[in-house]
Structures are given as C-alpha cells and as structure tokens.
Amino acid sequence: MKKSIVALGILFGTTGIIFAQEKDSISNNKTKDIEEVVVIAYGSQKKGEVTGAVGKVNAASFKDRPIARVDQALTGQIAGVKTRSTTGKPGEPLEVRVRGTASISANNSPVYVVDGIVVDDIANISPDDVQSIDVLKDAASTAMYGSRGSNGVVIVTTKRGTSGKPSFSFSQYYGVQTIEKKLDIMTSSEWIDFATEAINKRWVALAPGNLASDSYAKRAQYFNLANATDYNLANINFMIDPRWGTNQVANIDWQDAFYRPAAIQNYQLAVRGGGKGVKYAISGAYFDQEGLAINTGFNRFNLSAAVDVNLTDKLKAGISLRPSYSKSYGATVDGKDNNAHKMLSMVPVAEVNAGLYTNFWKNLRYRWAGSTQSPIGLMENTTNDTNEFRLLSSLYVSYDILKGLNFKLSGGATNNFNINTGYNPTFDLITNIPGQVSTASRRTINYNRYLGEALLSYKKSFGSHELDAIAGYSAENYRTTSQYNRNRGFPNDDLKTFNFTQSGSVLNSEYTASEWMLVSMFGRVNYNYKGKYMASASIRRDGSSRFGWNNLWGTFAAFGGGWKIDKEEFLQNQNWLSNLKLRYSWGENGNNSIGEYRAFGTLAGGNYSFGGALSNGLIPNTIENPDLTWEKTRSSDFGFELGLFKRIDFTADYYIKNTNDLLLQEPIPSVTGYTTMWRNVGSVRNTGLELDLNTKNLVGAFTWNTSANIAFNNNKVTKLGNNNKPIPSGYDNLTNIIQVGEELNSFYLYEAIGVLSTADINNASVAKTVGAIAGDVKYKDANGDGKIDEKDRHIIGGPTPDYYWGLTNTFSYKNFDLSVFFQGQKGGYSYALLGRAIDRTSMGTTNNVMGNWANRWRSDENPGDGKTPRLDGTTGGLLDTRWLYDATYIQLKNVTLGYNFDQDLVSKLKISNLRLYVSLENVWRKDHYYGGYNPESVQSDGTDYGAYPNAKVYMMGINFNF
C-alpha cells in the first residue's frame, strides 16, 4: 500500500517540532483508547467529563530523576504551575505558584492533598511511592476545598495494593553533585590591583610629596613603625603588603574551598499484593544528599504501609501509615551576613601559616582583610542540626447503603516533632578561652493536625443521563507548641550538648502555643448527558477561628459546563478528530492563611512602675479587628481542547482571577497607640493564557513523543487601602513597591544609566546627586527637575515573568529510551542584594568584590566598562538598577538514557523488568544573572541575598522487580 506522509509544523516558543505520521495507519486504527482518569476533589472523573482546568503528572515522567521531594516533579510539567528553586539547600521545598501570586500578606502556596487527606506539605512522601499528581487550577475544580483552594490544589495519589501474589520492587541510584556555576568575584591578582589603587590614592592624598611609587619602608618610616617587617603593625589604609604577588602569602579561591563535589543516593524496597478481600502496599526508602557547601546535608528514612480490606460486599475499610525521620545539618549558608555572604567577601589573600583558617582559633586575621572569621572554620565547627519525625496517618470506612449510594467516614492526622540544636564554639582563642563566649541553643516544635470527614456520595445512570453528587462535613484542629532556649558561656567546648546548669548566662527562654480550627460543610453535583453535555455545581461553607467574631464564616460556590462537540452526530465517523471540547467555569475561593490571632487584641510582656520599682506585667500589643474576614478569589476559566488523529492533544485555557478583600497588615495613625492593624484592603488581578501540547510524532519501532506547555500571566494591583496609597516593600522597603495599576512588588529604584565623566560634573544641565564626583554612578533624571534625589526612584518592571514553559521529548528504540527535558522563562527581574553587598562603591578594600570591578572607572581616559563606577565614589548607599537583572533563562533540566533488559535474560536471574539508566539533572543553563548563583533563587519580592546554589547531578540507577 502506498504510504503518504502528512507533516505538521508546530512553532512552540523558539522550538520547532516536526510531526510526521503515516496517514493510512491512522485510518485503519481500530484500537479503542482507554480514557484517562484524573483525580478531582473527593473523587475522580474521566478526563473528557471534567469541566474545570486540571493538570496531571504521572510517575513515569520523574521516576528516573534524582529528586528529593514530590514538588520537584511539577517543574515545567503543567501549564500555569510555576515552581521555583529558591534555595539549593538539600531537603528544602520549592516555591509553587498556581496561576500567579494573588495575595500580599497571606499564603500563596497551593493546598496539598495526599490520598484524600489535606496535609500541610509533602515533605515525608517518597517520590517512589507516588502514582500520579493532579493539580486543580480553576475555581470550579478547587472550590470544594473552600478556604484552602484559592491558590490551587495539588493532589498526590500514592501506589496502593494489587490483587495477586506479592510483587517486590527495588530501585536505587547514586550520583555526584557539582556546583552549577561559580560567582564571578575578584581573583587574588585582581584584588591586589584593586587594593593597591585604593591604598595609593589615600597615600598620595595624605601629605604633599607622597608618591604612589613610595616603598613600604618609606611609608613605615612615615608612621614611625618600630618594626617595619612586622606586617601586623602596618597601617593598611596607606601601606601595601610588599609580599603581594609572591608565594610568601597564600592566594585562596574561597569558592573552591567552600563548595565540593557531593554525593546523592536513594534506595527503596516495596512489596505490593493482596488476597481475597485484602490489598496491601508496604515500602521503605532511604535518601541521602550531601550538600555542596562543606559539612551540610540532608537524609531521610521513609516507611509507608497501606491496607485496604473488603469486610463484606458493602463494607470496606482502609488504613495508611507514613512515618518518616529526617535530619538536615550544617551551618546556615544562604542569606544576609551568613556563610556564603561571608565566604564571597573574604579577601583572597591570607598568611601562609593560617591559610583557609585565617582569623580562626589562634590564627590572627590577615592585616589587610576584614574581621570576618574563616567561613571554612565556621562551617566545619558550627553545629546546626534539625531532626524531624513526621507521621501522616489516615483511615476510612466505606459502606454502600444502596446501589450507587455510599457513605464514607475518614480521618487523618499529621504529627510532627521537630528539634533544632545549635552550638557555636568560642572561635577566637586569642582573646578568649574555650567555652567562654560559646552559645548553645535548642528549639522544639510540636505540630499536630487532626481531620475528620463524613462524605455521602451518589452515582446514578438513567438512560442518557449520568448524575454524580456528594455532600460532606469536615472538621479540623491545629495545635502548635514551641520552646526555645539559648544560653552563653560554658566550661569548655568539648561537650556540645545544651545544659542549662553549665552555662554562664541565659540569652533567650520562651514558650509559645497556638491553636485554630476549621469547620466545613460542602456539596457538589456533576451531570452528564450522552457524554456530550457536562455541568457541575458546588458550594462550601467554612468557619475559621482565625477571623473576627463578626465574620467567622465564608461561603464559596462554583459551577462549570462543558460541551464535547466531537460527540455530535455531524462529527461522527471522522477518524481525524478524536476530541473537540469547550468548557467554562466560574467560582469563588477563600484564603485564611494569615496565622493565628490576627483578628484579636493580644498582650506582650512589659514593665510597670509600682512604688518606684519596676514590676513585670502585660501590655496591649496588637489592636483587634472583629470584622476581619476572608480574602476572596473569584475566577473564570475558558477552556478549549482539541485531539487530532489520536496523535495530537492540545489544550488552551484563558483565565481571569480577581482576589478581593486582601488580608494586609496596614499602617495606621500612631495616635491610636499602634502602628499597624490587620484589615481587608485592596484587590489583585491575575489574567493568563495556558497552552498544553502532547504529540506522538513517530510510532513504530522508533517512537518519538513530545510534551510542551507554556503559560502567560499578567499580574496587577487594582485597589489598595488608605485611598490607594502605595505601600513600600522589598529590602528595607527600598527596592519594591505595591501600587495600583502595577504588578505586585514592582521594583522601585534609581535607574543607573552609566558613569559620570568630568565633563558631566562640569555640565550644570546633567542631573547629579549632591556631592557627586567624576566616576560616580550616573542616574536617570526621572522627574526632569535637574537633580537626582528620592523623587527619581521609579518603577522598572517586576518579578513576574512574561511567560514560562517546559518541553520534553522522549525517544525509544527497541530496549533503549531517551528523555530530554528543557524548561525556562522569559521576562521578569531579579534583584541581587548579595551582588550589591559585595559590589558597592566606597566599600574599602578589606573585603572582596564582584569581578566587574576589574573593569572599574579609573579616569576619563580609562572609563572601564562604562557601568562600574570608581572605587571611592559617593553613591554606595543608593539602591539602583545596577543590581537588577533580567530573570530570563533557558535550562536543560534533565537528560535520561535508559536500557530495559530482555525478559528472557532477566528471568534467568529470577527477576523481572530490569532497567539501568543514567540521568543528568540541571545539565545546562543560559541566563543573564551575574549577581547571584541562580535567577530562581529569589524571595516573593524578587530579591536574592545569597541563596544556596543549585547542583548539577550526574547519576546512575537501577530498577527491578522480583
């Protein structure tokens, strides 16, 4: 039979996908596909019957990747679901956003549901135990979760037992991690040139006749130094170390010493099976990840047991237990003034006998360096261990009252016990003895969450009609207690154990407890006529103890409709069309995630004077607001689905998402006796377009499948309190602003446009800061008043990308398979506070600085790169756009090559499904981010103060059953 080729070119971002198919093979395809099932709130539906926007990730897409947490599996997989690795610290969660950021002060993270039980996070779920992840994105899908659904719902379904004899599975991988990239900071030779210029400038300006060429001895004589060769006596402001550039001093690359190749490994053993009326699944896993930073890491032990029992034909019951124990260790790396910041600012020169341990223990600091102690010594000798035990447990009893009518009781509990212990020895043994200024701390946190639900469900088919209805009630209780103690001064540093009785003084001693409840009633009806017309409606009423007495309750409703056009008679017998569907949904959700007691007046410790003496007491601390109520998000979704030739599936969603009654800690007049008050003020709008495409490009012996998604989001503040008065935000409230008509946390900065020349200084028409000199930063005169001051700060973009995308191509030939996964984003900005911390003018020379200072302005004749100012300029205190970076990036996230052994071979080994693979994670990245390790490593306002870098991972794994 003559074959014809049909070619379809699809342009997706910058990637072209060529789709080729054999036309005749499709027209003759009589295979009836099994329709995919997606998990929704309190149930499941065939994908074709869903009226809302639901995304799905199957375990097959991440089973061969070195991921520590389930949320990492969402990266780049679902349009409208944005994940961000805000830190590369082992064991830390990703930031997950579904359809943009909607709240200013309340939580913006989605709610997580594991096997029907709402949990706070999924830290104790092993990725190997996951069957699938479904993400509910629109209000019609999430409204059944009411107060917790405004930011989306992530539903994790784990693997359950199966009928038949026990089936064992084993999986293991081992890999090596390396740092994704090093920061460009000055080398020892560049820093020596930098310091030499600064010192010579000061020396020449000190007295008439001083020359930059004057020797160390002459300068020592000027300062009457008794011993010119004792470099610890040198006046570092005016004297240059004559040993620079020789082997008489140690030249150090601190990043190479601070970061290391690190191991990552995982092992899991599971058994699943069942007999008559009983199914079970039991698994155990061990995960261990060394951190890139020395003496840091994370490990976790997981157990999972799930049993489902058919007690009678009508009565079923089940129980799940998921205990886990984890430990993270190591001194704090990321953040302001923490060890990465210290390490990067360390002068790359030290005394030979001290080396990496300069200014540590009994080693004097290098005279030309700052007072920071060796970050290597701090990392190796600081204790900061967090041990956490988690238990996620659930049970259910289900009874079929009548055919189609079921009653189910279920309960769940989350119990966490967290202990953090810290010990900082006496690092300075020149002026102290061991233990003298040592500090020890201990923090314990007990968190307990209990959930009970009753659910009545009804399913009925009559003729061409299908009805699915549920009604339910749930109650939740949350309680947290915390105790913290920190003491100082111990007999020695030999025993790093917290002991009240041994310490010299108590620095902190506190105990806190909090509790809140949520009570809910809910119902939903799904209707389907002939598989062509679908409708759904739901309502939920929540009562939260977090709100004021006048507004404890909130009611949230939603509805949706769908039309399967391909089921109409006029499109029957069309082999080229496998799906054509339109859908629309509208709904409202609430948000109550603001912490406890925000609506109530609280008390704090204070002192009163009685009879001339101070007495301990309590004073009002916050002002109450009995009208504080739910933050509400109303959204509409317009969906379009298209399937062609049973080889192409395309989905498009456009949404409008309005969040009103924003929960905000708003400034109030101080005459009230308070400075802020929690109120419902303001509105935010998110609108966006989401596109998903899945294609089977080639079928047969060689297969090629493509999965691609892209999401556009526009974020805008539409209303604020106090007559729409803008609210400063960001670092010290100086980098960002929340303003009507603009994106949340827009960057509000001075705009740097170059470097001032001598001609600019002498030109009165060039706007300048007060006292500016040649070589200072040149700023845009935004308001045109001829001078640079606070009024010239203006909005320059925001942290939200224009769009973000993911692209996966999978290939297979015989026993080999290959997966290549790209992801990235376009637009948005990151503000590198870390970069600014080591990149400002007039910082002096006792710290290292960014590498761009090698191309600094030196004179009108030697202006450098035209962006980096003089080293002794006057504008170091301003926050400007020199540290604002385009957050666009493209990343080859994962490449996996696998081989599945023939069954004839593996059966001789008494095993089955033997698979070997190699996987590379975070393989390559192209970005514009110079001031930090990773453009994703930013806070919600888009600022980065030195996040833990991400790792490239090179690993090999094996899976088999027996």
Side-chain angles (χ1 to χ4, degrees):
M1 182 182 293
K2 184 177 180 180
K3 298 179 180 179
S4 60
I5 304 298
V6 179
L8 176 64
I10 302 173
L11 181 65
F12 190 88
T14 58
T15 305
I17 302 172
I18 303 299
F19 171 81
Q21 67 172 31
E22 296 181 357
K23 185 177 180 181
D24 290 341
S25 67
I26 293 176
S27 61
N28 294 327
N29 184 4
K30 302 299 183 181
T31 303
K32 184 177 182 180
D33 294 333
I34 299 175
E35 189 168 358
E36 183 180 8
V37 174
V38 296
V39 180
I40 60 174
Y42 302 101
S44 61
Q45 274 186 303
K46 293 179 180 179
K47 186 176 180 181
E49 298 175 356
V50 173
T51 60
V54 181
K56 190 179 188 71
V57 179
N58 288 308
S61 66
F62 58 85
K63 65 181 177 66
D64 293 337
R65 290 179 54 195
I67 61 175
R69 295 173 51 99
V70 175
D71 48 14
Q72 293 174 286
L74 295 172
T75 300
Q77 299 299 309
I78 299 175
V81 179
K82 177 81 169 69
T83 67
R84 198 165 58 182
S85 177
T86 59
T87 176
K89 181 181 178 182
E92 291 297 297
L94 270 65
E95 178 188 89
V96 180
R97 296 289 181 267
V98 178
R99 293 187 166 180
T101 300
S103 182
I104 296 176
S105 299
N107 192 358
N108 282 288
S109 298
V111 63
Y112 294 96
V113 181
V114 178
D115 292 333
I117 301 298
V118 176
V119 299
D120 290 292
D121 62 37
I122 44 181
N124 68 329
I125 305 297
S126 170
D128 288 315
D129 285 331
V130 175
Q131 181 70 37
S132 64
I133 307 171
D134 295 84
V135 181
L136 314 183
K137 298 186 288 184
D138 69 319
S141 302
T142 64
M144 286 298 289
Y145 289 103
S147 63
R148 297 162 304 193
S150 60
N151 300 314
V153 180
V154 177
I155 301 178
V156 178
T157 303
T158 64
K159 299 171 183 176
R160 309 291 288 192
T162 57
S163 299
K165 64 180 182 180
S167 172
F168 292 85
S169 63
F170 175 79
S171 62
Q172 180 269 336
Y173 64 75
Y174 182 89
V176 177
Q177 309 164 91
T178 61
I179 191 170
E180 232 184 356
K181 75 171 185 179
K182 291 172 61 177
L183 222 58
D184 180 20
I185 57 176
M186 279 192 169
T187 64
S188 58
S189 60
E190 290 172 335
W191 177 84
I192 288 170
D193 176 70
F194 176 77
T196 299
E197 179 187 344
I199 292 170
N200 282 340
K201 276 189 173 184
R202 291 192 291 265
W203 169 251
V204 170
L206 181 63
N210 285 357
L211 300 175
S213 58
D214 288 342
S215 67
Y216 180 87
K218 182 176 180 179
R219 302 185 193 197
Q221 184 180 9
Y222 178 90
F223 291 109
N224 298 316
L225 296 185
N227 184 354
T229 61
D230 186 353
Y231 301 115
N232 289 317
L233 299 177
N235 188 322
I236 65 172
N237 290 315
F238 305 99
M239 301 174 67
I240 296 169
D241 189 343
R243 301 169 296 171
W244 284 347
T246 73
N247 59 6
Q248 297 179 53
V249 290
N251 299 304
I252 300 173
D253 186 323
W254 286 101
Q255 290 187 91
D256 282 351
F258 193 84
Y259 298 115
R260 57 169 179 185
I264 181 172
Q265 55 189 315
N266 184 75
Y267 307 85
Q268 195 204 41
L269 177 65
V271 57
R272 297 178 179 87
K276 185 177 181 181
V278 179
K279 296 179 182 179
Y280 59 87
I282 303 171
S283 67
Y286 172 69
F287 175 82
D288 182 45
Q289 182 179 11
E290 292 180 343
L292 292 173
I294 58 173
N295 202 35
T296 64
F298 172 82
N299 53 61
R300 182 185 63 221
F301 296 88
N302 286 87
L303 289 175
S304 175
V307 179
D308 299 286
V309 182
N310 293 335
L311 299 173
T312 68
D313 292 340
K314 293 187 176 183
L315 183 62
K316 300 177 183 179
I319 185 170
S320 297
L321 296 173
R322 301 184 186 279
S324 69
Y325 170 79
S326 64
K327 178 180 180 179
S328 61
Y329 56 91
T332 304
V333 173
D334 41 2
K336 184 179 185 301
D337 297 328
N338 285 320
N339 286 303
H341 183 184
K342 292 177 180 178
M343 175 270 297
L344 292 167
S345 61
M346 288 292 288
V347 166
V349 178
E351 298 291 348
V352 172
N353 61 349
L356 295 174
Y357 299 95
T358 182
N359 196 25
F360 200 79
W361 297 140
K362 293 187 178 182
N363 296 320
L364 293 172
R365 74 179 177 92
Y366 178 59
R367 182 63 175 168
W368 280 265
S371 59
T372 302
Q373 294 173 310
S374 163
I376 305 302
L378 293 173
M379 292 297 295
E380 290 179 345
N381 294 278
T382 298
T383 299
N384 180 29
D385 297 341
T386 299
N387 297 272
E388 184 168 43
F389 174 78
R390 293 171 176 258
L391 175 61
L392 174 62
S393 53
S394 63
L395 57 86
Y396 72 88
V397 176
S398 173
Y399 182 72
D400 294 328
I401 302 172
L402 299 170
K403 183 178 180 180
L405 181 63
N406 177 267
F407 180 69
K408 182 178 180 181
L409 285 175
S410 59
T414 303
N415 305 101
N416 294 352
F417 181 64
N418 180 296
I419 303 177
N420 175 266
T421 55
Y423 193 86
N424 295 310
T426 300
F427 299 121
D428 176 11
L429 297 182
I430 297 176
T431 57
N432 302 292
I433 61 174
Q436 184 173 354
V437 292
S438 302
T439 59
S441 64
R442 178 183 173 91
R443 183 188 297 275
T444 62
I445 300 174
N446 283 299
Y447 173 75
N448 298 286
R449 174 178 186 168
Y450 300 99
L451 166 69
E453 290 185 332
L455 184 68
L456 185 66
S457 59
Y458 179 70
K459 291 185 177 181
K460 178 67 174 178
S461 296
F462 41 99
S464 300
H465 306 272
E466 292 183 6
L467 186 67
D468 179 356
I470 63 171
Y473 174 88
S474 71
E476 300 174 57
N477 176 267
Y478 307 75
R479 181 173 174 80
T480 302
T481 60
S482 173
Q483 185 171 354
Y484 178 62
N485 298 94
R486 187 165 70 100
N487 289 24
R488 180 177 181 176
F490 294 89
N492 55 57
D493 287 322
D494 295 331
L495 187 63
K496 297 179 175 64
T497 302
F498 191 93
N499 191 325
F500 285 101
T501 61
Q502 293 181 341
S503 64
S505 60
V506 177
L507 301 178
N508 299 89
S509 181
E510 60 187 50
Y511 175 87
T512 61
S514 62
E515 185 175 12
W516 70 284
M517 292 190 66
L518 181 71
V519 176
S520 309
M521 294 156 283
F522 51 88
R524 181 185 65 211
V525 176
N526 292 328
Y527 171 74
N528 182 339
Y529 177 67
K530 290 187 175 181
K532 294 189 292 186
Y533 313 111
M534 289 77 67
S536 67
S538 65
I539 189 167
R540 179 168 178 132
R541 184 163 173 79
D542 285 325
S544 172
S545 64
R546 283 176 164 168
F547 292 122
W549 299 116
N550 298 337
N551 286 304
L552 292 175
W553 292 89
T555 302
F556 310 101
F559 65 85
W563 178 24
K564 284 274 290 178
I565 305 175
D566 62 294
K567 297 291 186 180
E568 296 291 351
E569 291 184 5
F570 60 85
L571 286 176
Q572 294 304 300
N573 300 319
Q574 299 291 332
N575 292 323
W576 58 272
L577 183 65
S578 54
N579 183 31
L580 180 58
K581 180 181 176 182
L582 296 176
R583 49 183 167 76
Y584 170 77
S585 66
W586 177 94
E588 184 177 57
N589 300 104
N591 193 339
N592 70 343
S593 53
I594 57 170
E596 290 71 58
Y597 316 121
R598 300 295 192 263
F600 307 99
T602 59
L603 300 175
N607 296 321
Y608 288 84
S609 176
F610 289 102
L614 288 178
S615 299
N616 293 329
L618 296 171
I619 59 174
N621 184 45
T622 60
I623 189 171
E624 70 171 347
N625 181 3
D627 295 319
L628 191 69
T629 190
W630 300 84
E631 187 174 280
K632 303 178 184 68
T633 297
R634 296 174 181 170
S635 64
S636 299
D637 182 277
F638 303 84
F640 170 76
E641 299 176 14
L642 176 66
L644 299 173
F645 311 111
K646 295 185 180 180
R647 301 268 294 272
I648 301 176
D649 287 302
F650 173 74
T651 302
D653 280 274
Y654 176 77
Y655 62 88
I656 303 171
K657 181 178 173 181
N658 291 299
T659 303
N660 302 306
D661 294 330
L662 292 176
L663 292 162
L664 181 65
Q665 197 169 10
E666 185 183 30
I668 59 176
S670 57
V671 69
T672 62
Y674 306 91
T675 57
T676 60
M677 178 181 182
W678 279 92
R679 286 178 171 169
N680 294 99
V681 291
S683 303
V684 171
R685 169 175 287 193
N686 282 278
T687 57
L689 176 66
E690 300 166 354
L691 305 175
D692 267 294
L693 177 67
N694 293 280
T695 63
K696 298 178 181 178
N697 307 319
L698 294 173
V699 296
F702 179 80
T703 66
W704 171 26
N705 297 331
T706 297
S707 174
N709 66 83
I710 188 169
F712 303 82
N713 179 263
N714 180 268
N715 177 276
K716 184 179 292 186
V717 179
T718 56
K719 182 182 178 182
L720 288 173
N722 285 340
N723 299 316
N724 289 329
K725 181 180 178 181
I727 301 172
S729 63
Y731 176 68
D732 281 350
N733 286 333
L734 293 174
T735 56
N736 302 74
I737 195 168
I738 301 171
Q739 181 173 310
V740 170
E742 303 292 341
E743 180 185 335
L744 263 178
N745 292 307
S746 294
F747 290 104
Y748 188 63
L749 304 162
Y750 294 93
E751 185 175 355
I753 57 175
V755 178
L756 291 167
S757 65
T758 301
D760 291 330
I761 296 298
N762 296 328
N763 186 346
S765 64
V766 176
K768 298 174 280 290
T769 56
V770 176
I773 56 177
D776 270 341
V777 178
K778 186 176 185 178
Y779 294 108
K780 180 179 179 179
D781 183 13
N783 66 347
D785 64 357
K787 60 183 178 180
I788 302 299
D789 56 20
E790 170 70 20
K791 297 177 182 178
D792 290 300
R793 291 173 65 202
H794 61 285
I795 292 175
I796 309 174
T800 303
D802 300 326
Y803 60 84
Y804 47 95
W805 55 273
L807 174 66
T808 303
N809 282 286
T810 56
F811 310 87
S812 68
Y813 179 71
K814 294 185 177 179
N815 292 6
F816 288 94
D817 56 77
L818 174 68
S819 173
V820 182
F821 170 34
F822 284 89
Q823 59 103 205
Q825 66 180 41
K826 174 65 172 67
Y829 289 95
S830 300
Y831 197 75
L833 288 170
L834 171 68
R836 179 182 180 271
I838 54 176
D839 187 22
R840 300 195 312 275
T841 186
S842 300
M843 290 181 61
T845 59
T846 57
N847 294 296
N848 203 1
V849 294
M850 298 291 290
N852 59 279
W853 281 89
N855 295 315
R856 62 191 174 276
W857 186 96
R858 299 171 192 253
S859 66
D860 288 332
E861 296 73 31
N862 188 5
D865 60 14
K867 298 181 291 185
T868 306
R870 61 189 294 158
L871 57 81
D872 54 349
T874 68
T875 59
L878 301 182
L879 287 108
D880 61 46
T881 57
R882 286 186 55 238
W883 306 286
L884 187 67
Y885 296 93
D886 180 357
T888 299
Y889 73 88
I890 179 173
Q891 182 175 35
L892 177 52
K893 186 70 175 177
N894 180 266
V895 177
T896 299
L897 175 64
Y899 181 79
N900 299 290
F901 286 82
D902 289 326
Q903 290 299 313
D904 291 341
L905 174 63
V906 299
S907 62
K908 297 178 182 179
L909 302 174
K910 305 300 183 182
I911 59 176
S912 61
N913 302 323
L914 176 61
R915 174 177 172 80
L916 291 176
Y917 64 92
V918 292
S919 183
L920 311 179
E921 190 84 0
N922 298 331
V923 182
W924 169 85
R925 182 196 294 268
K926 175 66 175 177
D927 60 51
H928 309 286
Y929 196 46
Y930 178 74
Y933 286 110
N934 179 356
E936 292 184 281
S937 300
V938 295
Q939 305 305 310
S940 59
D941 56 15
T943 60
D944 171 22
Y945 219 129
Y948 199 116
N950 282 347
K952 292 182 180 179
V953 185
Y954 309 85
M955 55 159 280
M956 178 177 288
I958 183 172
N959 303 323
F960 61 85
N961 296 339
F962 60 95

